[in-house]
Amino acid sequence: MPPTMAGAERWKRDPVRYVIFGLIVSFFVWYYHFSAPAQRLLPDINPRAVLQPDPGRLHIVVTGGAGFIGSHAAMVLTQAGHAVTVLDNLSRGNAGALRALWDMTPARRFRFLRVDLGERAAVCGALARLRPRPDLVMHFAAVAYVGESMRDPLQYYKNVTVNTVNVLDCMDKVGIKQLVYSSTCAVYGNPESLPVTEATPPKPINPYGQSKLMAEEVIRWYARSKPDFKSIILRYFNVYGSDPQGRLGEYPRPELRAQARISGACMDAALGMVPSLTVKGTKHPTKDGTCVRDYIHVMDLISAHVAGMGHLANPPPLYNIGTGRGVSVKEFVDACKKVTGRDIQVIYQEEARPGDYAEVWSDVSKINNELGWRANYTDIEEGLRHAWNWRLLHPDGY
């Protein structure tokens, strides 16, 4: 009998081998699809395409486009007829958001390239290969957790400040002359008077705010050396909510849950993914002892960035993006409990997060008057309902 036939006969006589072999194959299939993080499995999307924005629209590079804010920006821009190339290394973003964008967007208007902004040669190479040449960069990519920045400040100066230098350097080499920069109210620290205006002196009290302020200064100095370069700097406040139509949402990846926004943490607790919601800091000099923040809906934040595209200048103008109203963390949590209808266990911890500031909210009169922009979603419960509706449909993310 030929050796191959003899082998087949042995398998037939010993069916346990089939079972063992099947278990081994099943394990590797399971591991590939479920154990490995989803972001490792996502290849570039439409990498060699020549994108085609609608007539009169732009080709826009969105850095950090896999993140909560950046993905909503990419969606709004593509739906307005712009072509979008997302650059993201997926270290913090969500691969599922990119798949959702690809599914809802005409192929001629969307592309994703997995690029780490810390690798300057890779950034420059990616921008140089894009067709048509991009008209504008909307720069969201950044690590953005206050507590983490206190523990690992160098990561923040590299990721926020140095990476912004890399983006500007590569824009210069390729000939891209327009930038919308997404900054933060964390640059203000603990302001002496409220609400904060664009004239409020920046005094950051954590590396996150300091690294963002340094990136702003890099942009200003770069603009001085490049008269044909135009940009805008937008300092936004605390972002929450999601697309009201339910196409995208906020889903903190499991390994980042401990540092997630209060909105994402509240939803996790409502869904039973974590046993309780911890509010850190109850002895602040505020109305109820918890931090007071200006909560801005993600769709309002993006509409401000879109409005800013029409007001680029040199030197770059500066605008706050908020609602002009302060809401305490306790008030926010109470609203979240009401919207979800779940009996969330809330643990109030007296000790505050390192590097946290007591209260800050914005005077938005400048952006209202000069850009004609106003927040549409100012009811906290409405914005939380948008986020909750999406999470109910996507309890395990995308």
Side-chain angles (χ1 to χ4, degrees):
M1 181 181 290
T4 54
M5 294 298 292
E9 288 297 322
R10 283 198 298 271
W11 274 103
K12 290 179 180 178
R13 289 196 301 270
D14 190 2
V16 174
R17 297 188 185 191
Y18 281 112
V19 175
I20 294 173
F21 179 73
L23 288 173
I24 293 172
V25 172
S26 298
F27 170 78
F28 281 106
V29 170
W30 173 87
Y31 182 83
Y32 181 79
H33 285 287
F34 297 104
S35 179
Q39 58 271 18
R40 292 181 186 171
L41 305 178
L42 184 71
D44 290 351
I45 297 174
N46 220 13
R48 290 177 291 277
V50 177
L51 298 188
Q52 299 174 28
D54 287 351
R57 300 299 185 177
L58 308 177
H59 179 195
I60 299 171
V61 171
V62 175
T63 70
F68 169 46
I69 301 170
S71 61
H72 280 75
M75 179 184 69
V76 170
L77 292 169
T78 54
Q79 294 205 328
H82 300 288
V84 168
T85 293
V86 167
L87 301 185
D88 201 302
N89 67 357
L90 296 180
S91 63
R92 295 289 168 95
N94 197 314
L98 296 171
R99 295 189 186 99
L101 288 167
W102 177 237
D103 289 342
M104 74 176 76
T105 308
R108 62 186 176 84
R109 289 211 298 262
F110 184 75
R111 166 178 30 226
F112 160 66
L113 299 179
R114 187 165 179 173
V115 175
D116 189 329
L117 299 187
E119 300 175 4
R120 190 181 64 83
V123 178
C124 291
L127 293 182
R129 291 192 301 272
L130 296 182
R131 295 293 181 271
R133 186 179 70 183
D135 302 289
L136 179 146
V137 172
M138 197 169 282
H139 184 25
F140 291 102
V143 286
Y145 296 122
V146 168
E148 181 185 52
S149 78
M150 298 293 285
R151 296 190 300 272
D152 189 2
L154 292 184
Q155 178 189 8
Y156 276 68
Y157 293 115
K158 288 187 290 186
N159 182 280
V160 177
T161 310
V162 174
N163 284 5
T164 300
V165 173
N166 289 344
V167 169
L168 289 170
D169 187 21
C170 295
M171 288 175 63
D172 185 42
K173 285 179 166 46
V174 175
I176 306 171
K177 303 180 185 301
Q178 299 185 88
L179 173 72
V180 176
Y181 184 61
S182 187
S183 191
T184 173
C185 67
V187 303
Y188 293 115
N190 273 314
E192 295 179 2
S193 61
L194 291 168
V196 297
T197 72
E198 289 79 1
T200 299
K203 297 179 181 179
I205 61 171
N206 53 63
Y208 170 55
Q210 184 64 50
S211 63
K212 279 286 192 178
L213 183 61
M214 293 172 68
E216 288 184 9
E217 287 301 306
V218 167
I219 293 167
R220 292 188 184 97
W221 280 102
Y222 176 76
R224 292 181 186 181
S225 70
K226 302 287 181 179
D228 56 349
F229 175 79
K230 298 184 186 302
S231 61
I232 191 170
I233 296 171
L234 302 174
R235 290 176 178 166
Y236 60 81
F237 286 66
N238 289 60
V239 189
Y240 79 111
S242 70
D243 169 37
Q245 297 182 44
R247 294 163 294 185
L248 295 173
E250 178 185 14
Y251 181 74
R253 281 171 27 198
E255 68 270 26
L256 301 173
R257 279 199 183 112
Q259 305 178 98
R261 296 177 181 86
I262 188 69
S263 52
C266 185
M267 303 295 168
D268 284 345
L271 290 167
M273 302 179 79
V274 293
S276 60
L277 172 63
T278 301
V279 174
K280 298 181 180 181
T282 61
K283 295 295 184 181
H284 292 288
T286 61
K287 51 189 173 183
D288 58 24
T290 64
C291 295
V292 173
R293 298 288 184 264
D294 190 338
Y295 291 96
I296 179 73
H297 194 288
V298 64
M299 296 301 283
D300 283 332
L301 175 64
I302 301 310
S303 70
H305 283 70
V306 172
M309 288 167 50
H311 293 78
L312 306 179
N314 191 337
L318 168 68
Y319 295 96
N320 290 334
I321 308 175
T323 65
R325 182 169 66 95
V327 175
S328 76
V329 171
K330 184 179 185 303
E331 290 171 331
F332 190 90
V333 169
D334 288 344
C336 186
K337 291 171 67 176
K338 181 179 178 181
V339 166
T340 62
R342 304 294 174 90
D343 185 19
I344 301 171
Q345 181 184 3
V346 183
I347 299 174
Y348 287 95
Q349 176 182 301
E350 184 173 319
E351 182 182 358
R353 293 184 309 175
D356 231 346
Y357 36 91
E359 57 183 333
V360 61
W361 71 87
S362 175
D363 180 334
V364 290
S365 56
K366 182 181 179 184
I367 193 169
N368 290 167
N369 296 332
E370 295 184 10
L371 271 60
W373 174 89
R374 279 173 175 75
N376 291 316
Y377 302 104
T378 56
D379 182 336
I380 292 292
E381 289 185 16
E382 180 185 17
L384 284 169
R385 194 168 293 109
H386 296 157
W388 180 236
N389 289 340
W390 188 85
R391 284 299 298 271
L392 284 174
L393 294 174
H394 305 83
D396 299 314
Y398 291 91

